[in-house]
Each structure stands twice: as structure tokens, then as C-alpha cells.
Amino acid sequence: MCLACYDPSIAESAGINPCHCDAPYTHQAYARIDADLRRREVLGGMAAVVGMFAGFGLAPREARAQTPGRPILLTNLRFFDGTDLSMQVGRDILVENGVITGLPPAGQGPADAQIIDCGGRAVTPGLIDCHWHATLVGVSQVAALTQDIALVHLVSGQEAGATLMRGFTTLRDVGGPVFGLKMAIDRGVVAGPRIFPSGAMISQTSGHGDFRLLSSLPRLTGDADYTERTGVAAIADGRDEVLRRTREQLMRGASQIKIMAGGGVASPYDPLETAQFTLDEMRAAVEAAADYGTYVCAHVYTPTGILRCLEAGVRSIEHGQLADEATIRAMAEAGVWWSLQPFLADEDANQYTDPRSIAKQQQVAQGTVRAFELGRAEGVKMAFGTDVLFNPAGARSQGRQLAKLTRFMSPLEALHMATGAAGELLSQSGTRAPYQGRLGVIAEGALADILVWDGDPESDLDFLGEPETNLRLVMKDGRIYKEQLA
């Protein structure tokens, strides 16, 4: 309204009516202004949405691919190839179409190559974490088991980008609804590491993957609870049910199967010493996986559970910190893999408030040092993993966890566990492996996952704990996701 609308005496004294509020052209002007304001609202909302996705790490990070037709040549470097326990010099690294195609003598690479001068720094293969939960690490246990699964997936997208920026270019995900995240990363929707997915953790009733409240018992029908519906876990009792749940994960794209073969720290109702799944049930999972050309890995701590896993044909023991000497010798003789984590109940450990979980955590920590010592003495094949779970702050300790292995072995031996050895474990997936090519090594024909560091891997690995400042270049699949070499 104009002033004349409020005070008609103005028009009377002027002898005219200066009010145009009701004129058609005024209404048209108002309509144009309103439309413009609404457009600005929409744009602002879109910007907010884009900002939200960027803030969650779901806006793809800038990745620089090599110039079409031109190879990339990394020069002026010393490198650990993931296999030999030494730093090599006098060679460059040639990358073409996402693959390492050669290690020519320094200065003798192709003349048309795109040169990356590493400034004399240390170069390693991309790191591999063989026991990770990509969708469960960045949220609390309450959030993961009760809140809208969309939140869990958004946070996992954020964490995937952060994981890649820590130098972990490949993960073996051993439990959780990770298939969508893997597809998003592989399609370039979000930045993140390669993922070898297990899908839902397969557990017996009352097992380490049974997250139901006691108020949910007894289950009188076949209805699944929240964790089963969202793909966190799958409860199976009896051979037929184990076959069904295993085949469901394979149908969804699992590269290996994860079963719960003993008690756990985080779960309140199953003591560590419990043996879970009968031998026949375990064999059902192993047989179904073998029919698909892959293998079963098993969460388990104790000798009884481990020996049952070996008899059933399980190929990878996850944790196992309470194994005795005879059991560890049996693992070596069977040629199974030991995915062993530095569980030390220290400042980087998963945090628990339940006294039962705290007590179990201490028990596992006491067995960790002995497990590493005996495992190495017996020659068990060991690969690195962290198992950071329901611990957003703890996720950032991933590189620091790897550095802790130098308490038990030389720095290059520890680095080997997270590169060449881990790549060998991943190769157990056979034709179910989602990526074709060697991982964890710098060698001709290997996939081009390459890191450049400020640090000396021959003396210590402490630099892994501060990737923000020490990790100068991140290359995955021949694409550069971070470069700070100047």
C-alpha cells in the first residue's frame, strides 16, 4: 500500500488520486518481484543442498586424470614396492591408463610423458585396510542401529573421502550395508577407496552380529529387525538359513563372506569364549562361497573357535588375539590368513561404557602382543586391519594404528602387511574380486595406486599418523586426488 491508501486526504488536497496500488501494471510488477524472490529462494535452497552434500564429502573431490594419450612419469623418488623389504632407488614409475606399465631407469622414461617430480620423497603403494567397516565407522552404535539409514550412508560418503586422503586406497569391508557406497565410489559420484564388500555380517541367534534388544525376544515370526533390514547383519540358524543368507550376500555382490564364529567385545550378550555356529553351519557358508569362487572370513578370538573355523575351511581369521601356540601353529600349517589388529586398549581404541565390554577389551589387549610375536614366529600369513567401529574420532587414527605395528616388527615389515601382503589376501576373492589387477604393489601391471610421503619408511612409520601434512600425493587408479609436491 502507498501513503495515499492510508490517508485519502492526501488525494483530496492534491485534487488527484496519486494511488496506483490497484492498477494492472502495479500487480504485474508485484508478480515479477514475487517470482524473482521465489527464484532466489530456490537457488539459495539448491546452494544449501549442494553445500550440505559437499560438507558431507559427497561432492566429488577434484581428481586429475592423465592427459589422454600421455603417460604419467613419477621421477626423483625412492620407493617401497610392497614386497621387497627395502627402499629402491634409481628408477622412475610409469603410469598409463590407470596401470603401472613400467619402472624405467631414472631419466629414461618416454619423452612425451607428463612428469611428476617427487622431490626425492618416499613413494609407497596405496595402503590397504583389510578389516574396515565403511558404513559403521563414522557413526555411534546407537545411530547405526536405530537412526534413519540415510544418515548412515551420508556419513559413510564423508568418511570415504577422508579415508582416501589418509592414503588408504583400498578397503576390505567386513560387515555392513556398503554396496551402494562402493557403487558410488566406482562411478565417481563420491571420492573414496576401492571396496571389497562382504555385505551383512552373518551371525547365529545370540551371536556377535545379533544386535537385537532383549525386549525383541522371542522372535516368533520370520520378521527381520532393523539391522537385518538395513544390511548390517543377517541372523541365520541351521544349515539352510546359513546357505540362504550367504547366497543373498553373494547375490548382492559380496567379494567374500563374513561370519561370526565367536564372542565379541562390542556385543553385550556373548562372552568372548563362546563358540558360535556349529561345524555344519560354518561349512554351509564355506561351500556356498566356494561355489562362487570365493572364501569366508570369520570373526573369532579363541582357540576353540579358530580350530573349528580351520576344520570348516575358513580362509581368513579376523582378530584371534586369544589363540594359543598350538592353534597358531595349526593356522600356519593350514595356510590361512590372519587379519590381525593392534588392539592395545590405548587412546585409539574403540570406546565402550558397558563394564562387560571394557573387561573384554582388556582381555583382548593382553593377548595382542603375544599374538603378533607367536604369529610371526610360526610364519602365519598376516595382513593389516584396524576394525575401528562406531568411532568417528577413532577413524582418523587409521595410519597411526599401522605405525603401531613397529612395536612388533621393522617398519618395512609393518608396511608390507598393509600393502603387498594385504593385496595377496584380497586376491583370495578370485573371480569375485571387483577390481582386476594387482593391488598393494608398485610393479609392472599393477593398478596405479601410489602415495608420496614426507618420511622415511626404513626408520619409522610415525609420519603415517599425520597424513594432512606428510602425505603429499594420492593417486588411485592413475588419477590424482591430492598433490602438494611443490
Side-chain angles (χ1 to χ4, degrees), residues 77-159:
L77 53 87
R78 51 201 176 90
F79 71 94
F80 172 64
D81 69 3
T83 303
D84 293 331
L85 300 181
S86 65
M87 295 296 289
Q88 302 187 35
V89 295
R91 292 188 176 275
D92 294 337
I93 302 173
L94 185 64
V95 175
E96 298 179 83
N97 300 317
V99 175
I100 298 172
T101 56
L103 300 171
Q108 297 184 29
D112 64 338
Q114 180 180 339
I115 303 296
I116 295 179
D117 187 335
C118 298
R121 295 180 175 89
V123 175
T124 72
L127 302 176
I128 301 171
D129 191 326
C130 288
H131 195 114
W132 191 251
H133 299 275
T135 52
L136 303 178
V137 62
V139 292
S140 68
Q141 185 167 357
V142 171
L145 304 182
T146 63
Q147 294 187 6
D148 193 314
I149 194 64
L151 172 65
V152 175
H153 289 310
L154 283 168
V155 173
S156 72
Q158 178 190 48
E159 181 54 43

Side-chain angles (χ1 to χ4, degrees), residues 9 26 31 34 59 138 144 157 211 233 252 270 295-296 313 323 335 347 388 452:
S9 64
T26 303
D34 183 64
F211 296 100
R252 298 193 67 175
D270 57 330
Y295 70 99
V296 171
E347 68 279 0
V388 181
V452 179

Side-chain angles (χ1 to χ4, degrees), residues 169-313:
T169 55
T170 302
L171 306 173
R172 185 178 64 149
D173 190 281
V174 286
V178 77
F179 297 109
L181 176 63
K182 176 191 177 298
M183 287 189 287
I185 292 171
D186 291 347
R187 296 177 185 182
V189 177
V190 300
R194 305 173 190 274
I195 295 178
F196 281 66
S198 300
M201 302 171 275
I202 301 176
S203 169
Q204 68 174 42
T205 294
S206 78
H208 184 52
D210 188 347
F211 296 100
R212 293 174 298 170
L213 300 175
L214 293 179
S215 57
S216 300
L217 303 180
R219 174 152 55 173
L220 300 178
T221 68
D223 293 341
D225 79 331
Y226 175 84
T227 58
E228 293 179 275
R229 293 195 305 272
T230 55
V232 173
I235 298 175
D237 295 297
R239 181 180 181 86
D240 290 347
E241 276 297 309
V242 173
L243 282 173
R244 179 177 293 110
R245 300 305 171 218
T246 299
R247 289 166 176 166
E248 286 173 351
Q249 305 318 307
L250 294 167
M251 182 177 179
R252 298 193 67 175
S255 52
Q256 65 283 322
I257 295 298
K258 166 78 172 296
I259 65 171
M260 301 305 203
V265 173
S267 46
Y269 305 119
D270 57 330
L272 285 177
E273 66 271 15
T274 58
Q276 299 176 12
F277 281 130
T278 65
L279 180 60
D280 188 47
E281 288 172 321
M282 282 191 190
R283 281 176 170 161
V286 169
E287 291 165 7
D291 285 344
Y292 266 64
T294 188
Y295 70 99
V296 171
C297 61
H299 163 103
V300 62
Y301 284 102
T302 63
T304 299
I306 293 171
L307 292 173
R308 187 179 295 180
C309 287
L310 300 185
E311 187 175 357

Side-chain angles (χ1 to χ4, degrees), residues 418-442:
T419 53
E424 286 186 54
L425 173 52
L426 296 180
S427 72
Q428 300 298 301
S429 292
T431 57
R432 293 291 292 182
Y435 311 99
Q436 301 306 308
R438 291 184 68 190
L439 289 164
V441 295
I442 294 176

Side-chain angles (χ1 to χ4, degrees), residues 403-464:
K404 290 177 185 179
L405 297 190
T406 59
R407 173 177 173 178
F408 314 110
M409 62 193 76
S410 73
L412 289 181
E413 286 179 295
L415 195 56
H416 171 64
M417 280 186 62
T419 53
E424 286 186 54
L425 173 52
L426 296 180
S427 72
Q428 300 298 301
S429 292
T431 57
R432 293 291 292 182
Y435 311 99
Q436 301 306 308
R438 291 184 68 190
L439 289 164
V441 295
I442 294 176
E444 186 171 343
L447 297 177
D449 296 353
I450 299 172
L451 310 174
V452 179
W453 298 91
D454 282 336
D456 181 8
E458 287 185 302
S459 61
D460 66 70
L461 297 180
D462 291 345
F463 60 89
L464 299 177

